[in-house]
Amino acid sequence: MAYHSYLTLSWALYVSSLLSLSHEQSTASFNLPVKAVNLGSWLVTEGWMKPSIFNGIINKDLLDGTQVQFMSTKLQTYLSAENGGGTNVVADRTSASGWETFRLWRIDESSFNFRVFNKQFVGLGNQGNTVAVSNAPGVSETFQIIRKDGDPNRVRIKATNGFFLQATSGASVTADYGGSDWEDSNPSVFKMTIVRTLQGEYQVTNGYGPDRAPQIMKDHWNTYITEEDFSFMSSKGLNAVRIPVGWWIAQDPTPPKPFVGGSLEALDNAFTWAQKYGMKVIVDLHAVQGSQNGNDHSGTRDGYQEWGDSNIQDTVAVIDFLAKRYANNPSLGAIELINEPVAPGVTLDNLKKYYQAGYDAVRKYTSSAYVILSNRLGPADPKELLSFGGNFNRVVIDVHYYNLFSDTFSQMNVQQNIDYIDNQRASELSTVTTSNVVVGGFAGEWTAEFAFNGASMQDYQRFAQAQQAVYGSATFGWAYWAYKCSQNHWSLRWMIENNYIKL
């Protein structure tokens, strides 16, 4: 009996060592540079998915984070948080800017909190006036937006006392109007201007609400990316996928509301499919608590960038969860600690502190998976992480390159865009790739779309080829954004199927 137990134990240890060796060899033999694609809009929602799942939301233009302005039809002036917040709400501005812009927190399809410039919330004051002094919304900070039939941007704002806000003078905005007409002379009628909208995970889940969101998201996850997609990607020469995930995945299946469970199962499926088709997975923490950039894809509620030192511990916990879960999976190629932190809101000191802790969390479970550090966007030195990254093993610096989002590119013709790739981008990438960072650079996001209007198919082909050649020189490789979306030139699958790109 003892001898049998000894043999059983020895065999178990032998098999375990083989599996461990296999895992280390599999991850270590990650073929570089990678040709990858981002599975955007899948596990972290963005508005340009195809088909859109936002279309079924009632009042879909008034989701969380929508920025609105209200002009009194009687006074022809705008509601404003005096001094940006901390005191009264007035209606004495003839033009609208930051203080006159309110960010919605959606309660239901018609009820909202209004967050002001300095981040307080509009509420009822003691004298029946309206103020912006509360740092957290409650009952008295909740209002209904009543839209006129046939003219949805003509609105009245109803307070919880049952009355409507009215602007009787520039200095007086009170919640005490009981009438019901929609005439211009009515002091409770406002013209609403929507300045900006957000379409992210928070918006879609809170927009549908707790009764509908779980099924909507489950259907999306099960159909947007499937095993067939992995078969297609592998057959076309892609050897990796970069998968954006949100911080709430670590609390699946019961994440904090309004997020819903199920994205973790979808990620598990991706690992299974990746292994079947010989691909690697780069898990990218795309959305963190507090939002590192204020963009839709950061999981933000209202577009404010608030990630900082107080969020580091919780963010590291997400990395720890992901590393622990997938460290022994042979398809794990890398974990990216955060996507697109933006300077100066994310300070370099906080980012380095987080990257050190995040790297340590990954290394608790695997010595072979790569750790990817994203460069800061905005006013930041693109070389600022190079010496820091050199302190680690198997670390990659991620840079994102788009010939878009700047007046510089809107003035360029096709050849100038290509020349920019061949010269400027090549120079920028070589700085990362030839540094003392152990692995080097990764063009983690790029696309074949550019700002030039009227480009031909051949123009797009040449632009894509130039980027493939330059970004292919990055030590770690590149990842196209995205695999599938509503705009054809951003969709790698469409580009491949229609012969715009050959890998």
Side-chain angles (χ1 to χ4, degrees):
M1 190 68 179
Y3 180 67
H4 173 73
S5 299
Y6 170 76
L7 287 177
T8 302
L9 178 61
S10 298
W11 175 252
L13 290 172
Y14 173 69
V15 171
S16 176
S17 68
L18 285 180
L19 290 174
S20 176
L21 179 62
S22 174
H23 163 64
E24 291 297 320
Q25 289 176 338
S26 176
T27 307
S29 63
F30 194 179
N31 292 326
L32 298 180
V34 300
K35 292 181 179 180
V37 65
N38 287 275
L39 303 187
S41 298
W42 186 33
L43 305 187
V44 175
T45 304
E46 293 190 51
W48 56 352
M49 63 183 66
K50 182 180 182 180
S52 174
I53 58 175
F54 286 86
N55 292 336
I57 301 174
I58 299 173
N59 278 341
K60 65 177 181 179
D61 58 342
L62 296 181
L63 300 177
D64 288 279
T66 299
Q67 296 182 24
V68 294
Q69 297 164 348
F70 300 104
M71 185 186 74
S72 165
T73 58
K74 177 181 175 65
L75 301 178
Q76 293 293 296
T77 54
Y78 289 89
L79 291 185
S80 174
E82 190 75 281
N83 300 323
T87 182
N88 293 332
V89 174
V90 296
D92 60 359
R93 306 296 203 283
T94 56
S95 62
S97 186
W99 291 1
E100 294 75 41
T101 303
F102 304 88
R103 303 188 187 209
L104 301 182
W105 280 22
R106 182 173 168 127
I107 307 303
D108 56 41
E109 63 192 46
S110 63
S111 300
F112 306 88
N113 308 129
F114 300 155
R115 201 177 190 194
V116 303
F117 187 83
N118 290 336
K119 301 183 181 179
Q120 299 96 338
F121 293 87
V122 175
L124 301 181
N126 295 328
Q127 307 301 320
N129 60 326
T130 53
V131 296
V133 296
S134 176
N135 292 319
V139 173
S140 68
E141 286 76 36
T142 300
F143 299 88
Q144 278 188 292
I145 296 179
I146 310 298
R147 312 179 83 166
K148 183 182 180 182
D149 291 341
D151 190 359
N153 289 326
R154 197 174 183 86
V155 303
R156 303 170 77 215
I157 303 169
K158 191 175 186 179
T160 51
N161 62 6
F163 292 98
F164 292 92
L165 299 194
Q166 64 168 331
T168 54
S169 70
S172 177
V173 178
T174 55
D176 54 3
Y177 189 87
S180 59
D181 69 85
W182 289 93
E183 300 301 318
D184 282 355
S185 58
N186 184 334
S188 73
V189 176
F190 298 89
K191 180 182 178 182
M192 178 176 67
T193 300
I194 296 175
V195 180
R196 183 194 175 194
T197 60
L198 292 175
Q199 289 191 318
E201 190 88 8
Y202 201 106
Q203 286 69 39
V204 73
T205 52
N206 204 37
Y208 278 109
D211 294 333
R212 297 184 64 196
Q215 190 61 50
I216 293 289
M217 298 309 296
K218 181 178 180 181
D219 291 344
H220 170 67
W221 294 326
N222 288 342
T223 58
Y224 200 72
I225 300 293
T226 67
E227 180 178 341
E228 186 277 333
D229 292 305
F230 277 77
S231 175
F232 175 86
M233 290 184 283
S234 178
S235 71
K236 299 302 180 182
L238 294 168
N239 63 3
V241 288
R242 180 175 181 255
I243 304 182
V245 301
W247 62 268
W248 52 90
I249 199 171
Q251 299 183 48
D252 206 282
T254 55
K257 294 180 180 180
F259 303 110
V260 299
S263 61
L264 185 61
E265 180 181 356
L267 184 57
D268 287 345
N269 289 338
F271 269 89
T272 299
W273 299 330
Q275 184 173 359
K276 181 175 180 179
Y277 294 100
M279 301 179 73
K280 293 292 186 179
V281 175
I282 300 165
V283 182
D284 157 44
L285 185 53
H286 216 72
V288 299
Q289 284 176 285
S291 178
Q292 72 278 22
N293 54 38
N295 293 324
D296 318 46
H297 52 74
S298 69
T300 180
R301 181 170 194 173
D302 61 15
Y304 278 117
Q305 178 192 19
E306 298 177 308
W307 185 90
D309 185 71
S310 63
N311 302 106
I312 291 177
Q313 184 175 351
D314 287 338
T315 310
V316 172
V318 179
I319 295 299
D320 188 279
F321 170 86
L322 293 168
K324 182 179 182 180
R325 187 175 187 87
Y326 298 111
N328 293 320
N329 192 304
S331 295
L332 177 65
I335 294 178
E336 184 156 359
L337 300 183
I338 197 170
N339 175 71
E340 295 185 344
V342 171
V346 173
T347 68
L348 184 58
D349 285 346
N350 281 340
L351 190 62
K352 287 182 175 179
K353 179 180 178 181
Y354 167 61
Y355 279 165
Q356 177 69 64
Y359 175 86
D360 291 342
V362 174
R363 288 290 172 255
K364 281 168 53 181
Y365 305 102
T366 170
S367 61
S368 57
Y370 293 96
V371 177
I372 302 177
L373 315 179
S374 177
N375 259 1
R376 289 194 300 171
L377 302 184
D381 181 354
K383 304 176 184 178
E384 65 187 13
L385 292 176
L386 297 188
S387 61
F388 174 77
N391 297 322
F392 304 114
N393 184 41
R394 299 174 78 83
V395 156
V396 179
I397 304 295
D398 182 10
V399 291
H400 294 174
Y401 293 144
Y402 294 104
N403 280 27
L404 294 159
F405 316 125
S406 167
D407 291 340
T408 300
F409 301 115
S410 64
Q411 306 302 317
M412 290 184 180
N413 61 31
V414 175
Q415 188 58 49
Q416 287 170 331
N417 272 280
I418 292 172
D419 291 343
Y420 191 91
I421 298 298
D422 290 337
N423 299 305
Q424 184 66 26
R425 295 299 194 206
S427 175
E428 294 172 2
L429 192 58
S430 67
T431 300
V432 179
T433 301
T434 60
S435 73
N436 63 342
V437 177
V438 176
V439 172
F442 174 43
E445 290 186 21
W446 67 277
T447 191
E449 186 58 281
F450 49 173
F452 180 78
N453 292 322
S456 67
M457 178 178 180
Q458 185 181 27
D459 293 333
Y460 279 106
Q461 289 172 329
R462 292 173 59 222
F463 185 55
Q465 287 168 359
Q467 292 186 90
Q468 287 175 264
V470 170
Y471 306 155
S473 68
T475 316
F476 195 77
W478 53 257
Y480 192 95
W481 187 281
Y483 174 69
K484 177 182 177 183
C485 64
S486 62
Q487 300 179 38
N488 290 339
H489 300 129
W490 288 80
S491 174
L492 184 59
R493 176 151 189 164
W494 186 93
M495 295 288 278
I496 292 173
E497 289 178 330
N498 290 277
N499 299 315
Y500 279 72
I501 285 180
K502 293 183 179 178
L503 303 178

